[in-house]
Amino acid sequence: MPTRFVAVAMVALLAAGVALVPSRGQDRSESRDRTHRDTFARNSDPAWMKGDSNVAFTEKGHDIDTGHARHAGTSERIAIESNPAPGATSAEYVHYYYRTPIAPLSDDLTASVYVKSVRAGVQLKARVVLPKEKDPRNPDSPLTVLVPGDTYADVQKWKQLTAGDVKKGLTAQRPALVARLGREVDTTGAYIDHLVLNVFTGAGVSEVWVDDLAIGPVADDPRGGAGKGSAGLAANAKRKPPAVSFSGGDILIDMHDDKGGRPFFMRAVRHTGVPLGVLEQARFNTVWFPADVADDVYEQAVRAKFFLVPQLPLPEADWDPAKPNQTDPALMEKDAELLARHFQRFATSDAVLMWDLGSGRTTNQVRRVAKLADAVRRLDPRRPRAVDLWDGYSAYSSYVDAIGGHRWPLFTSLELSGYRDWLTQRRALTAPGKLNWTNIQTHLPEWYQNNVFGKPNCERFDQPVGPHPEQIRLLTYMAVASGYRGLVYWSDQFLSDACHGQPRLLEIALLNMELELLEPLLLAAQEAATWRPTSDPNVQAAIVTAGKDTIILPMWTGVYTQFVPDQMAVPVLSVVVPRLPDGATAWRVSAAGVEEIKDLKKVSE
């Protein structure tokens, strides 16, 4: 018997209360005063890296801890058991390193971290890099010096340890450096690149909690992946990044734990200028980059732990495998060199999620894309190759792993119900075993801007001109209900304040939070949703079956919603959900959390 659920009211998800500005609780980011802060949030990995030591020890634990925190709910815990030789002195050490942005030595420089320990003796140090001097033990790296700071004394209490006056500390070590090198030392341009904790507190178990790190002012960091220029760090200082693979239509992320590869739902945004810190706070997990992205922007995204989808250049040679002798060898060599240069530039970070082979590809480009896909597969057989198509779905399915398609329905004659059907049709054209993703419209089409306003540049608009946040919400959930396992918000330039885009950005931040909550269910769904009418003719409900669970997504599909959305709220809404077992419990999922719907009425037919 089908079961009817009647909700007493539809939930209106508003953007109030979400602030996309730097705040005290943000994780591993830099505020406007150029101070780098870290609150060691619960959704992050441990940031301190095990380094060098001169005493035997065993790491007993290293994690983000919810049991001890200064005031943000979590801290980072390091526990070791050491077995020093008899007669050990304070010169014994077990170092853990925290990589910071470059912090040039100046009179304004401060560096500190809060520490709590079961034993006294934990000491903070600053590693200073002398870029004008080479390390005699490793001539390829600059000379580094550890400058000691405060030592922890108040057991079982949170205390702030500071690096003190690092310039003065470096000057105090100058005679020793001169004796070591046999000449005067050039300290020009010296900077801090790591904070160091000596967690050795004597024989036995030492347990240390770390919270609220701050260092600044910091400069733009030109360095690449972790570990560069890090002479003296242990070989295992570079943390192994997640491994990305593709299987059965899913991107799999292996965090190197005992859980193996886990399916990944891509919530991406095209990068066109909005600061990466803002995108991070909006809870995107992936950034889509053009081929000409600046190195410093790309490296900043790597440090922020985004997954990245870089675009690769399409070969100029129109390669035909049936006629290999008719292809210009010089042009093929040029294509190969260009691909290798772009590939190596992006691959070194190991943060790549997929390789983008282009947008809006058509049937007459199949041979060139196939050539590019084949070359990428030889260079990287593990990560999926993605392409956004306008047509030729069956032809492209032989060469790529992830197929996207997009259409801009807003401000056109295409009703949102028609857009839903278009998404379903395009997914049906894709061969089995492929990942489907789509772009979500967040901007005005250029032709619309020119025709209506005569202004192609959004920064010149004096008033908000759209799209509405509610329209972006509808496009997002229509794509999710149609079985797409990756979303790319197309133009984040229009999400900037200059384009009156803050309401849309806040809406996307809420959507990302909701999708995080729904992600396990969405990834468990094997088929696209079935659509059911509701008690209101303007609302249809998408029913998604995810194993033993069922997701109900009511959506406003009234006419002309692609131009201006209606109020999108009704006091009472009922929908018939077929094949729902007796005793099922209903939950309301929103950015505010998950709550049981206790006032739900259930009527059997």
Side-chain angles (χ1 to χ4, degrees):
M1 298 286 286
T3 303
R4 181 184 300 276
F5 285 99
V6 182
V8 295
M10 294 186 67
V11 179
L13 295 173
L14 304 178
V18 178
L20 296 180
V21 297
S23 65
R24 197 198 154 281
Q26 70 191 70
D27 188 42
R28 294 173 204 170
S29 55
E30 295 170 28
S31 61
R32 298 180 185 274
D33 63 356
R34 307 300 295 170
T35 297
H36 172 86
R37 307 179 191 278
D38 197 335
T39 58
F40 307 99
R42 73 174 64 242
N43 60 349
S44 65
D45 297 322
W48 292 85
M49 301 177 294
K50 184 165 58 176
D52 52 342
S53 65
N54 63 358
V55 60
F57 77 98
T58 302
E59 186 177 77
K60 308 298 288 185
H62 189 188
D63 51 33
I64 300 299
D65 186 16
T66 58
H68 295 77
R70 187 164 170 258
H71 45 50
T74 54
S75 62
E76 183 162 336
R77 182 182 71 98
I78 302 170
I80 67 167
E81 183 175 2
S82 52
N83 300 288
T89 68
S90 59
E92 306 290 336
Y93 60 85
V94 174
H95 284 158
Y96 276 74
Y97 289 79
Y98 180 99
R99 178 170 176 165
T100 71
I102 286 177
L105 266 58
S106 68
D107 295 335
D108 298 329
L109 176 64
T110 61
S112 65
V113 66
Y114 279 84
V115 169
K116 179 181 178 181
S117 176
V118 297
R119 303 165 74 176
V122 178
Q123 185 178 31
L124 178 65
K125 305 177 184 179
R127 196 181 85 152
V128 179
V129 179
L130 306 182
K132 301 294 185 181
E133 298 287 355
K134 297 296 183 183
D135 189 338
R137 297 170 299 181
N138 185 1
D140 293 332
S141 299
L143 183 64
T144 62
V145 180
L146 284 180
V147 177
D150 294 341
T151 300
Y152 181 80
D154 294 336
V155 176
Q156 296 285 15
K157 295 181 181 179
W158 282 106
K159 291 295 179 182
Q160 185 182 44
L161 303 184
T162 71
D165 189 338
V166 181
K167 286 181 65 177
K168 184 178 179 180
L170 179 61
T171 301
Q173 296 201 32
R174 196 181 191 102
L177 291 173
V178 171
R180 176 181 169 188
L181 299 179
R183 56 176 173 79
E184 189 55 50
V185 178
D186 187 354
T187 60
T188 305
Y191 61 86
I192 296 175
D193 73 335
H194 288 82
L195 292 179
V196 183
L197 274 181
N198 178 11
V199 298
F200 174 73
T201 57
V205 176
S206 299
E207 194 167 19
V208 180
W209 292 269
V210 187
D211 205 349
D212 288 345
L213 179 146
I215 180 171
V218 297
D220 292 333
D221 193 343
R223 302 169 297 180
K228 292 185 179 181
S230 298
L233 269 69
N236 62 352
K238 182 176 179 180
R239 181 168 286 105
K240 194 174 183 180
V244 180
S245 59
F246 183 81
S247 177
D250 281 319
I251 298 175
L252 303 178
I253 305 297
D254 188 350
M255 302 300 294
H256 308 296
D257 53 23
D258 57 359
K259 297 181 181 179
R262 284 164 281 182
F264 178 81
F265 193 98
M266 180 179 66
R267 305 186 310 277
V269 62
R270 283 170 51 90
H271 186 266
T272 57
V274 170
L276 288 169
V278 174
L279 300 181
E280 185 179 9
Q281 292 179 68
R283 305 187 76 88
F284 292 104
N285 58 24
T286 306
V287 179
W288 211 276
F289 276 123
D292 59 353
V293 61
D295 288 341
D296 59 335
V297 175
Y298 185 84
E299 291 168 358
Q300 183 184 352
V302 172
R303 292 196 300 272
K305 296 189 177 182
F306 283 113
F307 284 105
L308 312 174
V309 181
Q311 188 177 73
L312 297 175
L314 190 65
E316 294 184 29
D318 192 2
W319 172 72
D320 187 346
K323 303 175 182 178
N325 295 330
Q326 296 186 13
T327 304
D328 185 351
L331 192 56
M332 291 185 68
E333 184 177 357
K334 177 183 176 183
D335 288 338
E337 291 177 355
L338 182 62
L339 172 62
R341 185 164 64 249
H342 279 80
F343 185 89
Q344 291 301 325
R345 178 191 179 199
F346 296 121
T348 53
S349 71
D350 215 14
V352 173
L353 182 72
M354 299 192 300
W355 297 104
D356 177 21
L357 308 188
S359 179
R361 299 301 188 202
T362 59
T363 303
N364 60 8
Q365 296 174 307
V366 168
R367 291 202 301 257
R368 293 165 65 193
V369 174
K371 177 185 176 183
L372 177 59
D374 187 60
V376 172
R377 182 173 55 247
R378 291 195 299 269
L379 292 168
D380 183 359
R382 182 162 50 90
R383 292 182 180 85
R385 293 146 294 149
V387 66
D388 174 84
L389 299 180
W390 181 249
D391 58 23
Y393 279 70
S394 60
Y396 278 96
S397 293
S398 301
Y399 304 106
V400 296
D401 308 296
I403 291 181
H406 72 271
R407 186 171 180 177
W408 309 143
L410 302 183
F411 313 105
T412 72
S413 60
L414 181 65
E415 297 283 354
L416 292 193
S417 58
Y419 172 68
R420 174 200 63 195
D421 296 339
W422 184 90
L423 287 171
T424 302
Q425 292 164 0
R426 289 305 184 273
R427 186 170 181 268
L429 291 173
T430 305
K434 306 296 179 182
L435 173 74
N436 287 99
W437 56 274
T438 189
N439 296 296
I440 303 296
Q441 182 178 358
T442 69
H443 63 292
L444 298 175
E446 187 174 346
W447 64 264
Y448 183 87
Q449 298 175 60
N450 287 328
N451 289 342
V452 177
F453 304 99
K455 300 177 181 181
N457 189 343
C458 75
E459 295 183 10
R460 296 166 57 189
F461 295 140
D462 298 326
Q463 298 294 330
V465 294
H468 296 276
E470 294 83 357
Q471 292 172 315
I472 297 174
R473 169 172 290 273
L474 288 172
L475 299 184
T476 296
Y477 276 112
M478 283 186 173
V480 168
S482 299
Y484 289 77
R485 298 199 176 193
L487 304 175
V488 184
Y489 292 91
W490 179 259
S491 174
D492 64 343
Q493 177 186 0
F494 270 78
L495 300 178
S496 67
D497 289 340
C499 305
H500 303 283
Q502 188 182 50
R504 295 192 293 276
L505 184 59
L506 291 171
E507 183 68 42
I508 295 173
L510 285 170
L511 286 167
N512 281 334
M513 285 187 270
E514 292 170 25
L515 292 173
E516 280 187 71
L517 292 170
L518 291 172
E519 183 174 302
L521 298 177
L522 297 175
L523 291 172
Q526 299 299 315
E527 301 292 338
T530 57
W531 291 84
R532 305 281 299 187
T534 72
S535 57
D536 190 295
N538 292 310
V539 180
Q540 293 191 24
I543 312 298
V544 181
T545 302
K548 296 181 179 179
D549 300 306
T550 300
I551 309 172
I552 306 170
L553 301 171
M555 298 183 215
W556 191 280
T557 56
V559 295
Y560 306 134
T561 301
Q562 76 273 28
F563 294 115
V564 179
D566 210 333
Q567 64 175 349
M568 297 176 61
V570 293
V572 176
L573 185 74
S574 62
V575 57
V576 175
V577 182
R579 298 184 301 276
L580 203 65
D582 291 335
T585 303
W587 303 84
R588 178 185 291 116
V589 180
S590 72
V594 180
E595 59 177 329
E596 183 179 354
I597 303 178
K598 298 182 180 298
D599 54 356
L600 197 70
K601 296 181 181 179
K602 186 168 60 175
V603 181
S604 297
E605 291 186 342

